[in-house]
Amino acid sequence: MKQLYFTILLMGCIMAASAQSSLTGMRIFVNVPSFTEIDGGPALGLEYRIRDNISVALEGQWILYSLSNYVAENHGFRFTPDVKFFLPGSKKRYKWFFAAQALYKQVNTFEDYIIPHYENNTQVYQELRAYERQKQVFAFGGRFGIQSTFGGKKERFYMEVSTGLGFRWKGTHFLQNPPEGSLKRGREPLLDTEGWNPDVPYKVRFGYRL
């Protein structure tokens, strides 16, 4: 009798596995435009397709440089979680989607400052010293796009293209403030507006279903 129960349970598991949609499961991906962002570097992520019409993803970026200031030394990271809701479409292919996303980014930059030194109200020499400045960004918004599979019968590869609208907040501070009277060396970074601003997120991802 126990062998019969075990056989029935095994057959049920096999039938459930065979009936599972090819869209569900874990996926890994890269986000190509991350190299062209203001704070650039490679971005990798994981996406888990819970059901045909919903998935969750987490993208992480290793920030290595800044396109607005090539001279400064930069290092940091970014995390972008999102939840996708797919539309059935024709033949229930579930390609088109709407995504709700959040973002947190932290970038540390070393900036050179010229510090004058005085004796008896007369400048005797200047000192060049680097000070570390930290930038933090919080953002949220929505994206609309398409995710299409390819790669033969099993279609394990996929491409995703999406864009949207949102808002972001940016703030910066020095870990150690430069002394009063010091002068920053070089030009100010471009697009360095702090506070709340509109955001236009976009993704071009290439991935593989495990």
Side-chain angles (χ1 to χ4, degrees):
M1 184 63 69
K2 291 182 178 180
Q3 292 180 348
L4 178 60
Y5 288 152
F6 177 77
T7 303
I8 295 175
L9 179 61
L10 182 60
M11 291 179 63
C13 293
I14 294 174
M15 292 176 64
S18 62
Q20 185 180 15
S21 170
S22 61
L23 295 175
T24 58
M26 185 68 71
R27 306 174 180 209
I28 58 174
F29 63 83
V30 296
N31 182 33
V32 179
S34 65
F35 291 98
T36 63
E37 294 178 4
I38 295 297
D39 300 306
L44 305 174
L46 292 173
E47 180 175 348
Y48 183 69
R49 194 78 169 258
I50 302 172
R51 299 168 60 182
D52 286 350
N53 62 342
I54 187 170
S55 72
V56 292
L58 177 63
E59 178 181 308
Q61 181 187 15
W62 184 21
I63 296 172
L64 302 175
Y65 55 86
S66 174
L67 294 180
S68 63
N69 191 348
Y70 291 102
V71 179
E73 179 183 349
N74 295 268
H75 63 91
F77 61 89
R78 169 179 62 79
F79 290 113
T80 308
D82 66 49
V83 180
K84 295 189 184 72
F85 303 93
F86 291 85
L87 304 176
S90 61
K91 299 181 181 179
K92 293 187 176 181
R93 294 290 292 172
Y94 295 96
K95 291 184 177 183
W96 295 94
F97 67 85
F98 171 79
Q101 75 164 39
L103 177 146
Y104 175 72
K105 179 167 63 174
Q106 179 178 305
V107 184
N108 288 32
T109 304
F110 289 91
E111 300 177 351
D112 291 332
Y113 276 78
I114 301 173
I115 305 171
H117 291 266
Y118 295 88
E119 289 183 6
N120 298 324
N121 295 325
T122 302
Q123 180 176 316
V124 291
Y125 70 95
Q126 293 180 336
E127 178 185 4
L128 183 63
R129 185 183 300 178
Y131 288 87
E132 190 171 5
R133 183 183 185 188
Q134 186 176 93
K135 174 174 67 176
Q136 292 180 310
V137 178
F138 299 89
F140 62 91
R143 306 192 326 267
F144 184 74
I146 185 172
Q147 188 180 97
S148 182
T149 58
F150 61 93
K153 186 177 180 180
K154 294 184 177 181
E155 294 188 338
R156 289 190 176 273
F157 296 92
Y158 74 93
M159 182 182 70
E160 173 187 315
V161 180
S162 63
T163 188
L165 291 173
F167 293 93
R168 68 165 54 201
W169 178 89
K170 180 172 67 175
T172 62
H173 67 278
F174 283 95
L175 302 186
Q176 179 184 358
N177 289 322
E180 185 177 354
S182 59
L183 299 175
K184 182 180 178 181
R185 185 186 183 188
R187 60 182 178 84
E188 290 291 336
L190 299 173
L191 305 175
D192 197 24
T193 305
E194 297 191 18
W196 286 101
N197 287 284
D199 186 35
V200 183
Y202 61 96
K203 306 288 183 184
V204 180
R205 292 171 172 172
F206 292 90
Y208 178 79
R209 180 170 57 85
L210 302 177

